Amino acid sequence: MRTLMAELARSVTTMSADPHYSIVKAVWPALLFEKPNITALAQQHAIIPRALFNLKNRIVRRVMPMIERWQIVG
């Protein structure tokens, strides 16, 4: 699991051009592996909930190929 998390973290760093990259770095594990309250999390980071929901979708699209490969190998 540690290896997968490291690979996901590397993949997320490729999103550095995203305008919300500082938020991406802070919340990607919660968005991928927990079921956070999007509204509350968005308030913590001073963005609107819809923007955080869209950000989650961008993160998922970025890491999904890696997760799928991991499932095939694992």
Side-chain angles (χ1 to χ4, degrees), residues 7-68:
E7 291 296 320
L8 292 174
R10 266 186 243 128
S11 182
V12 167
T13 61
T14 65
M15 296 179 70
S16 61
D18 191 288
H20 292 111
Y21 183 64
S22 62
I23 298 170
V24 169
K25 290 190 311 183
V27 301
W28 73 266
L31 291 174
L32 291 177
F33 298 108
E34 300 170 13
K35 294 184 185 209
N37 179 317
I38 294 290
T39 302
L41 195 56
Q43 288 174 347
Q44 289 175 2
H45 293 281
I47 63 172
I48 61 172
R50 185 71 184 157
L52 185 58
F53 182 77
N54 290 338
L55 186 61
K56 177 182 179 180
N57 287 335
R58 290 196 304 273
I59 294 168
V60 168
R61 282 193 307 270
R62 180 64 57 116
V63 301
M64 190 52 68
M66 181 175 303
I67 291 173
E68 289 171 345

